[in-house]
Amino acid sequence: TKRIAIIPARGGQRGFQGKILKISVESLSPTTALSQYGVDSLMAVEIAHLIESGFEIEVDSVALLDGLTVDGLADHVLNC
């Protein structure tokens, strides 16, 4: 779960989990699908945009709704 804390926290901003989901990184389970945290289509677009602007990589917002886990998202960011 600590890997997800890197997504993005630039300029002192909280990562997506705090900014969009409004939960602490400690509350995230690496094997839980993001959709289980209440991610809807608008949130998925916001998360994708936040990650894309922070890391200059592409994130498919549909994948965020289609069972992508917290760990899967972290792997995607770290491997791009």
Side-chain angles (χ1 to χ4, degrees), residues 52-70:
E52 288 171 355
S53 65
F55 289 95
E56 298 179 1
I57 62 170
E58 288 189 30
V59 176
D60 181 8
S61 60
V62 174
L64 298 175
L65 297 170
D66 199 26
L68 185 67
T69 64
V70 172

Side-chain angles (χ1 to χ4, degrees), residues 15-67:
F16 84 90
Q17 78 286 343
K19 185 173 177 137
I20 298 169
L21 298 180
K22 308 285 191 231
I23 59 175
S24 69
V25 72
E26 292 81 15
S27 299
L28 295 175
S29 168
T31 58
T32 300
L34 290 168
S35 59
Q36 294 296 315
Y37 293 106
V39 173
D40 60 21
S41 59
L42 180 58
M43 290 171 139
V45 169
E46 288 180 288
I47 292 168
H49 176 72
L50 188 66
I51 293 169
E52 288 171 355
S53 65
F55 289 95
E56 298 179 1
I57 62 170
E58 288 189 30
V59 176
D60 181 8
S61 60
V62 174
L64 298 175
L65 297 170
D66 199 26

